Amino acid sequence: MMLRTHSQTSGWSLTEQDPYNNVVRTTIEAMAATLGGTQSLHTNALDEAIGLPTKFSARIARNTQLILQEEAYIPRVADPWAGSYMMESLTNDVYNSALEIINEVEELGGMAKAIASGMPKMRIEESAAKRQAQIDSSQIAIVGVNKYRVAEEDSNDGTGKVDVLAIDNKEVLRAQNDRLDRLRSTRDEVASQAAMDAITEATVSGTGNLLDLAIKAARARCSVGEISYAIEKVVGRYKPEVKLVSGTYKTEYSKVVLKPGEKDPISETIKMTEDFAEKWGRRPRVLIVKMGQDGHDRGAKVVASGYADLGFDVDVGPLFQTPAEAARQAVDADVHVVGASSLAAGHKTLVPQLVEELKKLGATDTLVIAGGVIPQQDYQYLYDHGCAAVYGPGTRIPDAAQDMIRKVEARLHESEAISA
């Protein structure tokens, strides 16, 4: 019954601004994990808030673990915090809080039913929205982002741009397709089909061990997509219901006590959306999309919840959309803006494709914006390919919302002038 634990340092805590601070953040988090007794550890690279890790940054991340092991000698002590009242008390607090959630899940009928109800995602997104509001309002300090910012981020004092790993997505797609073609042409097709049929039969009958069958199918050189489809064609594909957390961002941000003469960005933005609705007959409407194989949607959901609290009408697309699917949803919902959230370095491929798909559907007035993990050196490329704005890590939601409203109004005025 021993708990075998794998830990990963936080990618969320990494910042684009002052990126070398991320080495310190990762070291602290890695040390916390090892002092807590983790058996396995992954350390994030310093540039993961900017782009994909380079060999340089990955080596630092790897060496962080080696230094904790070989120079700090942490693994030599089984329980470094043993007997600490503070640590035992905090552990007890975590245990009691976790038990409350576990009991709640059990009352819902287990984790599968809890997932179907949307409870876990809503709890995570509520917590994320609250935290983002605390950062945007400077209730929580993030060094180099909302406190102790350097004057010149392009300087050579260790705070400026870092090298980013550039990936040719078209070449990756071509190479992967070639690998799949070779795989299917050289495998034992009878054996691989039999392995997939066995998975399908087990899914239909509800008997057998799907994990064991999936491993056998992989050994028969079946692809992940084929193994998944062997189940999907019986039970379908799970599509979570998209729900947004309401009120959390605005409520948390509003806890800040304003200084005399200081403007409230929340009230300012809400006033802008109200004025927009009065002038144009409806509120500004935005669709937040996650395209490609990037399966991370927490950042997109936080932004969507924030926009909704600021008076926008907000639609959210499902994970793994194609640019064509995102464009069709945008046209059907009659949105003013499509916001593409990027994490996995697909922005230079997916955002231009989205712009082109909108043009094919005649939605030339629909703005495309991008946000998330996008290197600054890629901003101009996106602008040149039809992107109206890029809101990188550290951008406050009210600032992005206000800029977006101004850009939508400018586009609407342009359309009016052309029509006249």
Side-chain angles (χ1 to χ4, degrees):
M1 299 297 290
M2 182 183 291
L3 177 64
R4 299 289 182 182
T5 309
H6 170 77
S7 304
Q8 178 174 346
T9 62
S10 174
W12 174 88
S13 69
L14 305 181
T15 65
E16 178 190 44
Q17 298 85 355
D18 236 350
Y20 291 102
N21 289 340
N22 295 333
V23 176
V24 182
R25 293 184 176 106
T26 295
T27 301
I28 292 170
E29 292 163 4
M31 187 166 65
T34 53
L35 291 173
T38 192
Q39 281 89 28
S40 173
L41 180 63
H42 171 99
T43 36
N44 286 75
L46 68 95
D47 50 2
E48 289 190 48
I50 303 169
L52 296 174
T54 61
K55 289 184 178 180
F56 170 77
S57 66
R59 190 176 77 250
I60 293 174
R62 189 274 314 270
N63 288 346
T64 300
Q65 295 196 38
L66 294 180
I67 290 169
L68 290 174
Q69 177 183 345
E70 302 290 351
E71 297 184 25
Y73 307 124
I74 290 176
R76 294 190 182 184
V77 181
D79 187 3
W81 285 101
S84 164
Y85 173 81
M86 181 194 75
M87 198 57 63
E88 299 295 345
S89 177
L90 290 174
T91 301
N92 194 56
D93 289 345
V94 170
Y95 168 81
N96 288 330
S97 298
L99 188 59
E100 287 182 11
I101 297 172
I102 290 170
N103 289 336
E104 185 178 353
V105 169
E106 290 299 307
E107 288 172 5
L108 288 170
M111 195 61 190
K113 291 187 177 179
I115 290 171
S117 75
M119 184 271 276
K121 281 183 69 67
M122 289 297 286
R123 293 292 179 81
I124 292 170
E125 287 158 17
E126 182 178 2
S127 175
K130 182 177 179 180
R131 181 78 170 186
Q132 189 62 50
Q134 292 169 341
I135 293 170
D136 286 353
S137 60
S138 297
Q139 296 177 59
I140 292 176
I142 306 295
V143 174
V145 176
N146 62 9
K147 200 171 184 180
Y148 308 114
R149 287 199 67 154
V150 292
E152 291 291 334
E153 300 218 7
D154 290 341
S155 61
N156 294 320
D157 60 0
T159 64
K161 295 177 181 177
V162 298
D163 291 334
V164 175
L165 179 63
I167 299 293
D168 184 342
N169 291 322
K170 291 181 180 178
E171 176 59 24
V172 171
L173 178 61
R174 184 202 62 76
Q176 186 66 2
N177 283 332
D178 288 347
R179 285 184 64 196
L180 283 170
D181 289 341
R182 288 197 301 272
L183 176 83
R184 289 170 179 151
S185 65
T186 57
R187 71 187 181 186
D188 184 337
E189 195 60 34
V190 174
S192 61
Q193 189 59 54
M196 288 186 282
D197 289 344
I199 293 174
T200 301
E201 290 168 9
T203 307
V204 171
S205 66
T207 60
N209 186 324
L210 285 176
L211 178 58
D212 176 56
L213 292 170
I215 291 171
K216 290 175 179 175
R219 287 173 175 159
R221 312 307 291 157
C222 300
S223 70
V224 173
E226 289 173 323
I227 293 170
S228 299
Y229 183 67
I231 301 171
E232 180 185 347
K233 64 184 181 181
V234 178
V235 299
R237 181 174 290 272
Y238 173 67
K239 294 181 179 180
E241 182 182 353
V242 176
K243 297 178 181 178
L244 292 180
V245 175
S246 178
T248 300
Y249 183 88
K250 181 170 67 174
T251 300
E252 194 62 33
Y253 201 117
S254 299
K255 291 180 180 179
V256 176
V257 178
L258 299 174
K259 299 175 183 177
E262 186 179 2
K263 293 182 179 179
D264 175 17
I266 299 295
S267 300
E268 272 191 319
T269 310
I270 292 174
K271 179 66 164 55
M272 288 179 70
T273 59
E274 291 172 347
D275 291 345
F276 183 98
E278 185 175 345
K279 182 174 182 179
W280 301 101
R282 63 186 179 119
R283 295 191 291 176
R285 191 176 190 96
V286 59
L287 168 65
I288 305 296
V289 299
K290 292 291 297 188
M291 299 180 292
Q293 292 302 301
D294 176 3
H296 301 78
D297 67 349
R298 189 182 308 174
K301 291 289 187 64
V302 167
V303 170
S305 297
Y307 287 158
D309 281 1
L310 296 173
F312 282 71
D313 285 331
V314 181
D315 295 276
V316 180
L319 285 170
F320 311 122
Q321 276 188 310
T322 65
E325 290 169 339
R328 170 50 61 189
Q329 184 178 356
V331 170
D332 291 345
D334 193 20
V335 300
H336 297 103
V337 182
V338 183
S341 174
S342 176
L343 180 69
H347 52 275
K348 291 176 72 174
T349 300
L350 297 168
V351 173
Q353 287 180 6
L354 174 61
V355 173
E356 289 305 311
E357 292 296 338
L358 287 168
K359 287 179 181 178
K360 290 178 185 178
L361 296 173
T364 53
D365 286 342
T366 304
L367 296 179
V368 173
I369 64 170
V373 180
I374 300 174
Q376 288 191 15
Q377 49 265 49
D378 289 349
Y379 285 16
Q380 191 59 51
Y381 177 91
L382 295 178
Y383 295 146
D384 293 342
H385 287 79
C387 188
V390 181
Y391 305 122
T395 304
R396 297 194 315 167
I397 291 176
D399 295 341
Q402 292 182 20
D403 183 63
M404 192 160 43
I405 291 171
R406 287 190 285 268
K407 283 182 166 54
V408 170
E409 287 208 283
R411 177 62 61 87
L412 291 173
H413 283 304
E414 286 177 12
S415 297
E416 277 189 340
I418 293 172
S419 299

